[in-house]
Structure formats: C-alpha cells, structure tokens
Amino acid sequence: EIVLTQSPATLSLSPGERATLSCRASQSVSSYLAWYQQKPGQTPRLLIYDASNRATGIPARFSGSGSGTDFTLTISSLEPEDFAVYYCHHRSDWPRTFGQGTKVEI
Amino acid sequence: EMQLLESGGGLVQPGGSLRLSCAASGFTISNFAMYWVRQAPGKGLEWVSAIIPSGAYTFYADSVKGRFTISRDNSNNILFLQMNSLRAEDTALYYCVKGTSSYYFDYWGQGTLVTVSS
C-alpha cells in the first residue's frame, strides 16, 4: 500500500499568515492526490483534487501543487475559519490511504 | 439535496458482528463509487472499503480484509458494511461516503459509532 506522510504534524500560525502543508507519498501517485479539511465535530470537506484543482466553492486562497511523490497545500492568508486538520489522500491504486493529518492551529 | 444516513452502530464484544447501513437520498448510489471511511476517537481518517459503480469490484483495507464485506441494495439505494470478527481496534466512527466522478470523496454522512469492547 502507498503510505502518505504529512508534515508538519502541527502548524502554529496567526490569521493572515501563509500556511504550507506537505504530503509525501511512498511511491508515485501521479497527480491523483486530494486534500480535505476537517473541523472539530464536522465531516471532512474536499478542498483540492488531482493535486491542484479546487473543489466547488473552495476559496482561491487554497491552492495545491505537486506530482509524483511530493505535494503541497498552501493557504495564502489564513482566515479564522481555516484553523482545522488537513488530510491528504490518494486515488492512485487500491487500497486508498490517507495521510495522518496536519493540524493548523492558532 | 444529497444525503447519507448511517445506522447500525453500537457496542459489540470482541469477535462479534455488526451490519452498518447507509441510506442515500438525492442521488443513485449505483452511479458512483461508494466508500466506508472510519475515524477512531481523536485519530485520523482511515479508508476502509469501496464498491465501484458497476458493483463488479470491491476493495478493502488490509486491516479489514477477510472480515468486512461491502455491498449495496440498488433498489432501495442503501449501502452496507458487514463487519465480522470485530476487534478493539475497529472501534471508530464509521462514515458512509459518496465518490466523485474521479473517485475522490465529496459527500459524507454524519457517521455511526462502533465500539468493540468486553
């Protein structure tokens, strides 16, 4: 199975700052990678799919990049509602897997 | 409006069985890949199982292979997860999830809690 490793585990930032989250795959997943946001008590929300495409209704401050084994989620200027846990996920092969998550905290 | 409503969770002893159900509305489950994803208390997301639109193929995480079975009732638009030989490490909130046309996850149910304990 493909292992996704996210870093850092926790990112402590302030509103208005730029957040850069990393996801590394144990083998190439091409561009078949997505990012999800999960807030406490809520279900995950799809942010980015196929590495760099924003899902419907996702603000432009969220962007994704990368291919192969190294991927990045960037939040250009953090809003108060962006403090949450972010997970990467691949659809390159079966079984699907998630990264362990990065918590973005104030 | 698309909705997913899970049921069937509860407290079960190690080695026991449970059958989770997910009633879908607002879309036809046989037109999309459908998934089960779980989240242990305070932990991250774990993909559990999938069934592709044709229903011809099903897939499982190594941690549940041979113990869990995903299936669906197309006429009633319900997804199932039969869970046998349950272990303490299966304790989690189980989400029913709809796949996008490109096999990502877009709609999530609120989850049903499975607790495996003696």
Side-chain angles (χ1 to χ4, degrees), chain A residues 46-95:
Chain A
L46 177 64
L47 299 175
I48 301 288
Y49 66 94
D50 287 345
S52 61
N53 297 294
R54 274 190 302 276
T56 302
I58 301 304
R61 64 182 181 273
F62 291 93
S63 64
S65 63
S67 66
T69 61
D70 290 292
F71 300 86
T72 301
L73 173 69
T74 301
I75 311 171
S76 58
S77 179
L78 282 164
E79 298 288 339
E81 61 267 29
D82 299 336
F83 292 91
V85 180
Y86 294 82
Y87 296 95
C88 58
H89 151 247
H90 81 85
R91 72 160 184 94
S92 173
D93 198 357
W94 301 101

Side-chain angles (χ1 to χ4, degrees), chain A residues 6-80:
Chain A
Q6 292 185 239
S7 61
T10 303
L11 199 52
S12 298
L13 295 168
S14 300
E17 290 191 298
R18 182 184 188 91
T20 304
L21 287 66
S22 175
C23 177
R24 177 164 289 177
S26 59
Q27 62 191 76
S28 177
V29 297
S30 185
S31 294
Y32 300 134
L33 189 105
W35 292 91
Y36 299 83
Q37 176 195 64
Q38 188 178 31
K39 299 178 183 179
Q42 296 187 17
T43 59
R45 176 174 69 149
L46 177 64
L47 299 175
I48 301 288
Y49 66 94
D50 287 345
S52 61
N53 297 294
R54 274 190 302 276
T56 302
I58 301 304
R61 64 182 181 273
F62 291 93
S63 64
S65 63
S67 66
T69 61
D70 290 292
F71 300 86
T72 301
L73 173 69
T74 301
I75 311 171
S76 58
S77 179
L78 282 164
E79 298 288 339

Side-chain angles (χ1 to χ4, degrees), chain B residues 9-71:
Chain B
L11 176 63
V12 61
Q13 291 188 338
S17 297
L18 279 176
R19 188 193 198 200
L20 306 185
S21 300
C22 171
S25 58
F27 71 101
T28 302
I29 62 171
S30 58
N31 289 339
F32 299 92
M34 295 295 296
Y35 303 89
W36 290 96
V37 174
R38 69 186 180 184
Q39 188 167 32
K43 302 298 184 182
L45 301 171
E46 181 184 11
W47 175 83
V48 173
S49 183
I51 183 166
I52 66 170
S54 70
Y57 295 99
T58 57
F59 301 92
Y60 301 92
D62 289 346
S63 57
V64 307
K65 198 174 295 181
R67 301 187 298 122
F68 289 12
T69 303
I70 190 171
S71 63

